Amino acid sequence: ARIEAERRAELGEVATGLAHEIRNPLNAMSLNLELLEEQLEKGSPGVSTAELAAATRVETGRLARLLSDFLSYARPSPLVTVAADLNEPAAEAVAFLGPEARMRRIVLEFRPHAGGAPALLDASRVKQVVLNLVGNALDAVESEGATAREVDVAVEDGGPFWRLTVSDRGPGLDAKNGSDVFKVFVSTKPAGTGMGLPIAERIVRAHGGTLTLASRPGEPTRAVATFPKVG
């Protein structure tokens, strides 16, 4: 009964947050379409017409991302784990984001664990975690207060666990953000859905590990995901 009550409370909180997040872009889209309609009725559409259409398309894309992320969180598919090297999905994710980092003039480096990092992994889901964490780090080093445009990804030996660490020289997290980042619909980015970190945390937890964020003055912000060792 307690577990069911907690589940209902969580679902209620998530549903309330989802309704709030959907309402804002819908209101913006409705206003844009109303203004667009007025422009077309006047028979003299100009630059503002194209701007209104573009703004509406952006909000439509945000809604699509939000609903996709929500479904990933609300209906997570079970993990399919096999013996694998943690270095591999991490390297694939970093390689995928490499061209974007170079275009944004950000130094993105990956340091695998020498000799491999064997673990039971659902590689595609681990790659999703790394893409999310590195994507957040790339945004962070472009934010006001960043000290260097550098993101470092490393797989390290953590005793009974492998540690996958994503470090950035962004502005860091304040106390409030630090305590809320794993809550659904909480985002420090204007266009963020607030679902990425909760999804990543759930995937890591399903592997038997933990995902933590640490941010201290004068030090890089570190996202650390742990995965139990095998063999």
Side-chain angles (χ1 to χ4, degrees):
R2 180 181 59 80
I3 293 174
E4 182 64 21
E6 290 176 352
R7 184 167 177 240
R8 287 179 180 274
E10 181 186 14
L11 287 174
E13 181 180 350
V14 169
T16 300
L18 181 63
H20 173 75
E21 292 296 323
I22 288 178
R23 185 182 299 115
N24 289 338
L26 283 179
N27 287 340
M29 290 166 63
S30 177
L31 177 60
N32 287 342
L33 290 173
E34 183 179 338
L35 294 173
L36 181 59
E37 185 178 18
E38 291 178 1
Q39 289 279 347
L40 294 174
E41 285 178 351
K42 292 177 181 177
S44 58
V47 176
S48 61
T49 303
E51 291 175 346
L52 290 170
T56 301
R57 181 171 54 82
V58 169
E59 292 298 333
T60 302
R62 182 171 181 272
L63 277 176
R65 291 194 305 274
L66 175 64
L67 292 177
S68 176
D69 286 348
F70 174 74
L71 289 175
S72 295
Y73 182 81
R75 294 189 302 181
S77 56
L79 297 182
V80 180
T81 60
V82 296
D85 183 352
L86 179 59
N87 288 322
E88 294 180 3
E92 289 177 6
V94 172
F96 179 80
L97 291 174
E100 177 184 345
R102 288 191 292 272
M103 183 180 67
R104 296 165 69 174
R105 296 186 175 86
I106 298 171
V107 177
L108 173 59
E109 295 185 347
F110 173 58
R111 294 182 290 110
H113 183 267
L120 288 176
L121 305 173
D122 185 324
S124 64
R125 305 295 286 281
V126 173
K127 185 176 177 180
Q128 182 181 1
V129 170
V130 182
L131 288 171
N132 178 276
L133 297 180
V134 174
N136 286 346
L138 293 177
D139 290 339
V141 298
E142 288 189 322
S143 301
E144 182 179 355
T147 58
R149 300 175 73 86
E150 299 173 358
V151 174
D152 180 75
V153 183
V155 175
E156 303 165 310
D157 191 333
F161 294 88
W162 298 112
R163 283 199 313 267
L164 191 153
T165 303
V166 178
S167 307
D168 69 73
R169 291 282 181 176
L173 300 170
D174 58 34
K176 181 179 184 300
N177 289 334
S179 62
D180 291 342
V181 288
F182 293 115
K183 293 182 179 179
V184 292
F185 305 121
V186 173
S187 178
T188 59
K189 298 184 289 187
T193 64
M195 298 293 293
L197 283 177
I199 291 171
E201 195 270 341
R202 177 172 281 186
I203 292 171
V204 174
R205 186 156 34 92
H207 278 86
T210 60
L211 176 60
T212 58
L213 263 69
S215 182
R216 297 177 181 175
E219 296 183 8
T221 297
R222 294 182 175 89
V224 181
T226 64
F227 297 88
K229 291 182 177 179
V230 295

